[in-house]
Each structure stands twice: as C-alpha cells, then as structure tokens.
C-alpha cells in the first residue's frame, strides 16, 4: 500500500479494507506515459524554480532539492483532483438549481469552467439520481467513489475510437457517470474500465451518517463527462458482459500481485 492508493473500510466489517477501483486499475494497467510525465513535471519545476534549487544546493542540501523537485508531480495531481471535485460540486448545484458557497480561491479555480458547465446542463439536460456515492462490490471485494448516477434528457451515443457507432442510450436511461476535468483534448482509455467497475458494484452508501448501504440501482450503462474550459464531451460507456468479466479478472489479478498468489512458486 502506498500514498497514492485508496482503500475503503468495507461496510460489513470495518476492520477490513478494500481497494478502490482506481487503485486496482493503476496496479494492473500499463501506463507507459506516466513515468515520462512524472519526469517532465519534476524537471520543469527544477528549471522554473532554479533560484530555489541553487539556494538549496548552496546550503549543502542536495537531497532536499531532489525531494522538492520530485514532489512536484504529486502536487500537480493533488491540485487537479481538488479542481475535479470542485467542478463536480458546481455541476451538481447548477443541475439542481441550488446555491453553492465558494471561497475566493475556489471561485477563481472554477471560473474557466462556468460557461462549459452552463452549456452542458442546458444541452444534455442531466437529472441526478445520486452524486458522490461510495459504492461497493460485496463479492469481488472492492469499493470506489462514483461521481454520479444521471438520466440525460437527450440520447447518449457510444462511439468507438475508430468513429463507429456502437450503441446509443435513449433519453432517461440511468448512466453511471465519472467526470474528468483539465485542459487536455482527450481522456485516458482507463476511464472506461473505471466506469465499468463502478457500474458493476452491488451496494451503495446512502450517506445517512450511519454507514447504511442499499443495493446498487441497476444502471443501463455508463458515461464519462470530459469538461474543459473550451467545452465538453459525453462519452458513452458500454458495460458489456465481457467488460464486466475483464474488470473481475483485473480485481483477481490485483489480489494475486498483492500477496494472494504467494505459495505458487516453489524454491
């Protein structure tokens, strides 16, 4: 277990921790570009803050200089995560026509996304069934935080990366949603398996403060909502039997590489 992993106390036995959907995928899916990104962000910080690096080196603190530069990718990811959570909150408030209280810093962060959010709500007509729900799979033993369950007022297509129309969800279909924010033009492939993992869960925390869980509502499919300051895209996700089986296999493999497979290789 490391600092970037997320583990949940399972609702039937608080002493047992279950891995999150993102922790499972992070361990079993290859991310060849991630190491390059980490290196680039650390190097960029060292260049942009060369005065600080020079000071630390001049004080005979090379290890501190390395630690500060190497920690920049984590700080960038944490800032992006905070922005994502904030945009989710604002999107929900706009959809439900509810007031939301923001600090001055939060208001500045979310400002570039307000026009996009207004268009998204006006054009897609989302109706929330739940938001920020902790979900669990009782039999496969994993958990996660699902951004929302939404029924859209318009059709949501599922289009392959080659441009082929694979399916289309009718207006009113219940879709398990995950929001992605940022300035990039595309989303990562793992966003699809992430939604598959949430959709397959068996139970949901109803957030009554008592840890009460109820059976997970049966969803028709999923969607990844990609929000940027320049616009939005709603990517439909098919939760097929094959996709569900693949995630179950990923969960099983995660368990093996984390110790459940010890004892299969003899000395």
């Amino acid at each position: 277990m490391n600092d970037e992993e997320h583990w949940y106390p399972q609702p039937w036995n608080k002493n047992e921790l279950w891995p999150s959907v993102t922790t499972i995928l992070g361990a079993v899916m290859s991310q060849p570009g991630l190491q390059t990104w980490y290196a680039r962000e650390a190097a960029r910080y060292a260049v942009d803050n060369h005065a600080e690096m020079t000071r630390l080196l001049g004080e005979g603190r090379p290890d501190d200089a390395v630690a500060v530069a190497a920690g920049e990718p984590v700080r960038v990811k944490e800032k992006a995560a905070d922005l994502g959570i904030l945009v989710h909150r604002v999107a929900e408030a706009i959809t439900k026509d509810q007031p939301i209280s923001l600090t001055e810093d939060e208001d500045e962060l979310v400002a570039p996304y307000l026009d996009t959010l207004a268009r998204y709500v006006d054009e897609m007509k989302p109706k929330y069934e739940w938001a920020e729900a902790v979900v669990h799979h009782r039999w496969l033993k994993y958990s996660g935080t699902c951004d929302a369950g939404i029924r859209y007022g318009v059709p949501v297509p599922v289009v392959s990366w080659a441009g082929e129309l694979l399916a289309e969800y009718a207006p009113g279909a219940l879709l398990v949603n995950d929001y992605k924010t940022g300035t990039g033009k595309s989303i990562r492939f793992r966003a699809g398996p992430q939604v598959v993992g949430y959709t397959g869960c068996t139970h949901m925390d109803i957030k009554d403060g008592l840890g009460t869980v109820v059976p997970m509502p049966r969803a028709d499919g999923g969607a990844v909502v990609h929000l940027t300051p320049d616009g939005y895209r709603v990517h439909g996700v098919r939760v097929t039997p094959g996709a569900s089986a693949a995630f179950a296999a990923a969960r099983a493999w995660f368990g093996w590489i984390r110790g459940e497979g010890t004892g299969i290789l003899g000395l």
Side-chain angles (χ1 to χ4, degrees):
M1 188 182 304
N2 60 53
D3 293 339
E4 291 191 23
E5 294 182 350
H6 195 178
W7 295 71
Y8 292 79
Q10 61 114 327
W12 299 277
N13 178 4
K14 299 297 184 182
N15 295 321
E16 182 178 350
L17 298 179
W18 286 353
S20 70
V21 168
T22 53
T23 294
I24 293 168
L25 294 176
V28 304
M29 291 187 71
S30 174
Q31 301 180 70
L34 192 58
Q35 296 300 326
T36 301
W37 179 83
Y38 266 85
R40 184 172 60 248
E41 290 300 317
R44 179 180 290 119
Y45 181 89
V47 171
D48 292 344
N49 297 272
H50 61 277
E52 180 185 9
M53 298 292 102
T54 301
R55 176 180 62 80
L56 291 172
L57 292 173
E59 294 173 355
R61 299 163 58 191
D63 289 346
D64 289 343
V66 171
V68 171
E72 177 62 7
V74 176
R75 293 190 292 271
V76 171
K77 289 180 67 176
E78 289 176 345
K79 184 177 179 180
D82 290 342
L83 172 61
I85 293 171
L86 177 60
V87 171
H88 302 170
R89 285 174 51 206
V90 175
E92 182 183 3
I94 292 175
T95 301
K96 296 181 177 180
D97 196 22
Q98 295 176 341
I100 183 170
S101 177
L102 300 177
T103 66
E104 186 174 337
D105 289 341
E106 289 176 334
D107 190 63
E108 184 177 348
L109 275 175
V110 80
Y113 291 84
L114 291 179
D115 286 345
T116 293
L117 288 171
R119 283 182 50 210
Y120 162 68
V121 171
D122 180 61
E123 295 172 359
M124 297 302 299
K125 300 175 175 56
K127 178 184 177 183
Y128 278 70
E129 294 292 330
W130 72 80
E132 293 294 326
V134 175
V135 294
H136 311 275
H137 198 300
R138 189 167 189 174
W139 321 121
L140 296 182
K141 298 184 177 181
Y142 70 84
S143 303
T145 300
C146 170
D147 287 340
I150 294 178
R151 299 182 189 274
Y152 288 101
V154 297
V156 175
V158 183
V159 181
S160 74
W161 289 47
E164 177 188 2
L165 179 64
L166 302 176
E168 185 173 84
Y169 294 116
L174 177 58
L175 303 181
V176 171
N177 281 243
D178 189 65
Y179 285 105
K180 302 296 183 186
T181 55
T183 57
K185 295 182 179 180
S186 62
I187 56 174
R188 295 179 183 176
F189 171 79
R190 62 181 288 183
Q194 186 177 342
V195 169
V196 170
Y198 294 144
T199 306
C201 283
T202 61
H203 291 77
M204 172 187 292
D205 188 334
I206 62 173
K207 297 193 290 189
D208 62 353
L210 301 175
T212 304
V213 294
V214 298
M216 178 85 169
R218 180 176 292 277
D220 298 292
V224 177
V225 183
H226 185 203
L227 300 163
T228 75
D230 297 324
Y232 74 89
R233 287 184 179 177
V234 179
H235 302 263
V237 177
R238 286 197 304 167
V239 185
T240 64
S244 298
F247 190 87
R251 172 62 182 99
W253 183 242
F254 176 86
W256 271 58
I257 64 179
R258 291 307 176 92
E260 294 174 14
T262 57
I264 62 171
L265 177 63
L267 293 175

